[in-house]
Amino acid sequence: MMLDDNSPLVRIRDLQMHFPIYSGLFRRQTGAVKAVDGVSFDIQRGETLGLVGESGCGKSTCGRAVLRLYDITGGSVEIDGVEISQTSQSDLRAMRPTMQMVFQDPQASLNPRMTVEAIIREPLDEHTSMSRDEKAAKVAELMDAVGLNRAFAKRYPHAFSGGQRQRIGIARALALNPKFIVCDEPIAALDVSIQAQVVNLLEDLQEQFGLTYLFISHDLSMVRHIANRIAVMYLGKVVELAPRGPLYDVPLHPYTRALLSAVPEPDPSKAQTRQRVVLQGDVPSPANPPQGCNFCTRCPAVMDVCKRIDPTFQEVEPGRFVACHLYENHASETEKAEAHANQQGS
Amino acid sequence: MPNGAQAVLDVQGLTTVFKTRGGEVHAVNDVSFDLKAGELLGVVGESGSGKSVTMMSLLGLLPSPPADVRAGTVTFEGQNLLNVSDDDLRRVRGGRIGFVFQDPMTSLNPVFTVGYQIMEPLRTHMGLTKQAARARAQELLELVGIPGAAQRLSDYPHQFSGGMRQRVMIAIALACDPKVLIADEPTTALDVTIQAQIIELMKELRDKLGMAVIWITHDLGVIAGIADRVMVMYGGQVVEQAPVKELFQNPQHPYTRALLTTIPKISEERARRLTIIEGQPPILSAAPTACSFRDRCDVAQPRCAQANPPRYDFGAGHDAACFVAKDAHDAG
């Protein structure tokens, strides 16, 4: 399936992105929103890693931090063997062609005063020394690749539907033959019948150009379709990371379990018999995360140790990572058995 | 439970047109449906299919101009809501018919306390005194599962999270014991775990209070878990209507079928490719004279371009507006 012969394309270690909070008369820093707080993962070449979580869990920030759209607080980001965590924004500019992004809202991420042609050509203007004709040919080629009619090149974004606008955004991201694309909720703003069109397009392009995706989404059914491996985020941390099959069949982390059971099933006979884990309460604020495990305030399997010690993110089976005390040695076996039972009963 | 029950709301031939500078937009075309006591009717459709405009038309919530409710009758408690005066309609809205909107962030007023906003319909519609209204408001907050209800009455909307705000909206809609509750995408703006909480809450409240609910959504998964009967809308028309199990097991209209196959399912074998519906939703610049789905339909025939199919009855409360499905059904 994947190419095992070489190193991962993207290697993230202990990535942190804290946004300072200023308050008081002198605008002193009084705290920080820990949007991303110690995230580690690899993305293999040609692979799609799904990053899922609820709003506010830091998944978009994580995607942006990986591309260094922010100056990150800490950690290491290595893309195609190059460490970019401390690189200056001006030096990063030269590296942008390898890594691109597709944004959530095609309405907001396309300049309404530029024609489609100009939008797709802009990265070529910035980063290549192609002649005018070469650029025009490349733009036409890209429009074909994403299924846009070449005849519409002189039109403005407002003349296109949501799905078509997302295609324009994808064509722009592809312009410089990138290796790695971060797709930040690329289908969230689209209707279901259009979502499938865009997802199929992304898969075709991946096959055609050997792309590697970080696919950020809150739609767990769609992520299951598109991703090879999936990372589940909760309150700035990855709580579980596993290949698609095992994650959906046997989720290990209590949060993953609750999240999966909350997905509505479009089948009434199943929907009525299914056991649901309905989590109580809301996600705590990332400016003031709870002591111990971030999930301990809502976890159906919470133990004493969870409220004191933050669990470590570790490999429990080959290729499966989870951060939970149920899979660590801090709690006694009887406690764990009890916690497991609570979880089933809820 | 809903079978044989009397209809509390009966809508016939509802047609709404928006007049814009670029011409007319026929948003709702000859929509008919009824809602039985205690029933939960799901309305599914993509954006622009007319599901929200239908509900807003029948309550007179659309500004006119540009909106023009051209035809139809809406029978509720023996009167036609399209003919009653604004004052009478105001008594119905928020009183006998409650409404929950999609976005709990923008539908609460940020400068009034939550308590004030729940007490408002109680005082205007039911004429309660301040004390009585406050007691009832507290009861309502408890009913929708907000902890510390008594204290939270004096909080402002920004002090609540999204899910909590939607609970407040539901409390307001329920304030005057409505017979009908119309919920327009009540969980779309919420996360899945919070959505699950709201769905459980609505099921519980429906059983406890025995009201009829119209639940508008674009998410078939939500519908499968909650609705008794489903109405599918496309291009401003009802294209199919059936009891929930029947609709999912035996969809008749090609659009419904396509919609059911296009969404990946979380527990089924993963398809290598998603099935897609080619093309774009229709532009509604004129009243339909042909089937509005024909350009995207994989079983379309020449006659689909010549006439707009009526809603054919398929028995057992199931109907669909499709010539091809009708022929297939008649042929056995």
Side-chain angles (χ1 to χ4, degrees), chain A residues 54-55 161 191 193 196-197 200 204 221-222 224-225 244 259 264-268 270 276 279 281-282 298, chain B residues 46-47 161 191 193-195 197 200 221 224 248 262 264-265 267-268 270-271 273-274 276-277 279-280 296:
Chain A
E54 297 179 89
S55 45
S161 67
D191 272 318
S193 75
Q197 294 179 5
N200 279 352
D204 291 345
S221 344
M222 202 52 99
R224 175 170 179 264
H225 177 80
R244 171 181 57 223
L259 195 62
E265 181 87 51
D267 179 346
K270 274 189 203 154
R276 265 225 171 120
L279 288 180
D282 288 304
R298 298 173 82 196
Chain B
E46 296 178 80
S47 38
S161 65
D191 284 312
T193 59
I194 309 296
Q195 169 171 290
Q197 292 175 358
E200 291 300 317
F248 280 86
T262 193
K265 306 187 180 48
S267 63
E268 256 167 46
R270 176 180 169 271
R273 261 183 95 75
L274 294 175
I276 61 171
I277 310 177
Q280 303 290 332
R296 306 175 77 187

Side-chain angles (χ1 to χ4, degrees), chain B residues 217-250:
Chain B
T217 181
H218 64 271
D219 189 335
L220 284 162
V222 170
I223 285 291
I226 193 166
D228 299 315
R229 194 153 59 93
V230 186
M231 188 163 97
V232 182
M233 289 190 74
Y234 185 81
Q237 301 176 74
V238 177
V239 293
E240 183 156 9
Q241 190 256 117
V244 67
K245 278 195 181 140
E246 169 77 6
L247 187 95
F248 280 86
Q249 280 159 13
N250 187 20

